[in-house]
Amino acid sequence: MISATANQIFQRVIEDYHVHDKIDQPVENPFERSSLSHLLYLKCWIDTAQWHMEDVVRNPDIDPREGLYWKRRIDRQNQERTDTVEFIDSYYLQQFSQTVPLMDAKINTESPAWAIDRLSILALKIYHMEQETLRTDVSNAHLVACQEKLAILMEQRKDLSQSIDELLLDIQEGRKYMKVYKQMKMYNDPNLNPVLYGAQK
């Protein structure tokens, strides 16, 4: 099942990242470049670095110029994240290229890769919520609240993992279409963001 593989890789990424715990630590992807595992590792590394960028930019005392610097890095990171998700969907498009949908095949609300994207984010939430349950400088109420949230996140991961595996099986057996829409993000595109193309006039 792909969800079990993905969850293992995401856990490994998060642990690898926190060995150094530095946003600019170069990624050392252990998987063969053309493999799905390579894409999953890269995807979660991008998410993990971005998680920490989001923490930095929310510092209420941040210098505005530094805040803008991080905002722009987050925008670039978001584009890399989207590109990597689309590479994962391309993998599945190829994998199911010979599958003929049944006459009553249905459309899913999201592609396999965007569901896997949510699984990667969930792994990060679980890791950081678990860290909160281990703190010794907070109240018992904080610990109890975080333990309750952690239990909910774990249940979410279980349910989402099952849903992803079921989606891929449905696509494989023709019960659902393998259909992908490019995200077509506009804010980074100098031809589609009015502020960017306005500045070029």
Side-chain angles (χ1 to χ4, degrees):
M1 293 294 182
I2 186 58
S3 70
T5 301
N7 284 325
Q8 288 176 359
I9 291 174
F10 296 160
Q11 184 66 30
R12 178 173 178 179
V13 170
I14 294 167
E15 290 172 359
D16 288 350
Y17 177 92
H18 286 94
V19 169
H20 303 282
D21 204 8
K22 292 180 180 175
I23 290 171
D24 290 315
Q25 178 67 28
V27 54
E28 295 179 9
N29 197 321
F31 297 102
E32 199 275 320
R33 192 170 183 80
S34 63
S35 67
L36 176 60
S37 294
H38 181 96
L39 288 172
L40 294 173
Y41 191 97
L42 176 62
K43 169 71 183 64
C44 191
W45 187 275
I46 291 169
D47 292 338
T48 307
Q50 185 167 336
W51 178 285
H52 292 280
M53 291 180 192
E54 299 278 4
D55 283 347
V56 171
V57 82
R58 284 174 174 75
N59 178 355
D61 299 323
I62 194 170
D63 180 273
R65 286 173 297 184
E66 187 184 353
L68 180 60
Y69 164 80
W70 284 108
K71 172 70 176 69
R72 288 181 171 163
R73 280 200 61 175
I74 290 168
D75 281 350
R76 291 198 298 273
Q77 194 83 352
N78 256 327
Q79 189 62 56
E80 288 183 30
R81 169 178 169 245
T82 299
D83 292 346
T84 307
V85 169
E86 291 179 350
F87 282 133
I88 295 171
D89 265 338
S90 295
Y91 170 90
Y92 282 116
L93 276 170
Q94 177 64 31
Q95 183 175 8
F96 297 122
S97 61
Q98 302 303 313
T99 300
V100 178
L102 301 175
M103 290 293 290
D104 60 347
K106 294 181 170 55
I107 299 288
N108 203 55
T109 58
E110 61 189 349
S111 69
W114 280 109
I116 290 170
D117 169 74
R118 290 200 288 133
L119 200 60
S120 171
I121 303 298
L122 204 45
L124 277 161
K125 289 181 179 177
I126 288 170
Y127 174 86
H128 288 285
M129 190 62 74
E130 187 170 29
Q131 295 302 305
E132 287 297 314
T133 69
L134 301 175
R135 287 176 61 182
T136 57
D137 61 335
V138 293
S139 68
N140 188 59
H142 177 88
L143 295 176
V144 170
C146 290
Q147 287 163 352
E148 291 173 351
K149 289 176 183 176
L150 179 60
I152 293 170
L153 290 169
M154 297 293 284
E155 184 176 351
Q156 282 183 318
R157 178 161 68 181
K158 177 174 170 288
D159 292 346
L160 180 57
S161 296
Q162 180 179 337
S163 296
I164 290 170
D165 291 336
E166 289 175 351
L167 171 60
L168 289 170
L169 183 60
D170 282 344
I171 293 172
Q172 180 181 320
E173 297 186 352
R175 292 190 293 270
K176 286 192 174 177
Y177 289 98
M178 178 61 215
K179 200 166 185 178
V180 172
Y181 297 97
K182 299 291 183 183
Q183 290 298 301
M184 301 183 194
K185 288 186 179 295
M186 299 174 72
Y187 55 78
N188 283 335
D189 190 328
N191 295 314
L192 298 176
N193 180 331
V195 172
L196 296 182
Y197 63 67
Q200 295 172 350
K201 292 179 180 176

